[in-house]
Amino acid sequence: MQTKKNKLNNFSLKFPSLGRNEGFARGIVSAFVLPLDPTVEELNDLKAAVSEAVTNAIVHAYPNEAGTIEMSGSATDSDAGYIIEIRVKDKGVGIADISQAMSPLYTSGGEDRAGLGFTVMESFTDKLRVRSVVGKGTVVTMTKTISGKQ
């Protein structure tokens, strides 16, 4: 049984839903997690998942104009390692059918989109939660336990 011990650190920020900010979000997550000494694979997994979540918000949440993306994270110490939780929130158009949106190869972004965003997020995290209300926005919460090199 995994026992949470104490919150080590957290962050919260807002940024415009512009393509160039996808790299910014990856950099923030890297800087946040690096002091916990993740493996290269753990770090790359988190960066890939965050990249997909932010890209989804940029492309799908605000299709006709830039909006605001809120990203927050927390790191908690546990018996199994460090539990990292990253939340990406938008106040965009929302998702009418979350189950359909999470199906591999489904996209509402046109033929130039692969439809693998949620699949990638799921494969690189331990837990993925998606909440959405049409016309109000979406919250994607990703959780991953990292071992921390010891």
Side-chain angles (χ1 to χ4, degrees):
M1 181 172 146
Q2 195 167 347
T3 306
K4 290 185 181 180
K5 294 183 181 177
N6 63 335
K7 189 177 265 191
L8 299 172
N9 203 358
N10 64 299
F11 74 90
S12 179
L13 60 117
K14 295 179 184 183
F15 51 90
S17 63
L18 304 173
R20 64 181 168 261
N21 284 334
E22 178 269 336
F24 171 71
R26 288 171 60 98
I28 292 295
V29 168
S30 292
F32 180 70
V33 175
L34 276 173
L36 302 176
D37 207 14
T39 65
V40 171
E41 182 179 4
E42 291 167 339
L43 181 61
N44 286 338
D45 287 355
L46 276 170
K47 287 173 25 179
V50 166
S51 180
E52 290 297 329
V54 170
T55 298
N56 273 2
I58 291 167
V59 171
H60 301 289
Y62 304 106
N64 301 316
E65 63 187 6
T68 299
I69 296 172
E70 299 176 27
M71 189 169 80
S72 61
S74 65
T76 306
D77 191 13
S78 80
D79 293 338
Y82 302 111
I83 301 169
I84 308 300
E85 184 176 279
I86 306 293
R87 217 174 91 164
V88 176
K89 178 180 177 181
D90 66 67
K91 294 181 181 176
V93 299
I95 301 170
D97 185 338
I98 293 173
S99 180
Q100 180 184 36
M102 292 182 77
S103 299
L105 305 179
Y106 173 82
T107 183
S108 64
E111 60 187 55
D112 63 330
R113 309 309 302 181
L116 295 172
F118 286 124
T119 302
V120 169
M121 286 180 247
E122 279 183 311
S123 69
F124 288 125
T125 60
D126 299 327
K127 185 175 181 182
L128 175 68
R129 292 185 312 269
V130 180
R131 293 188 342 249
S132 190
V133 176
V134 173
K136 296 196 179 217
T138 302
V139 179
V140 174
T141 305
M142 301 164 284
T143 306
K144 182 167 184 70
T145 302
I146 62 171
S147 59
K149 297 178 200 167
Q150 297 176 5

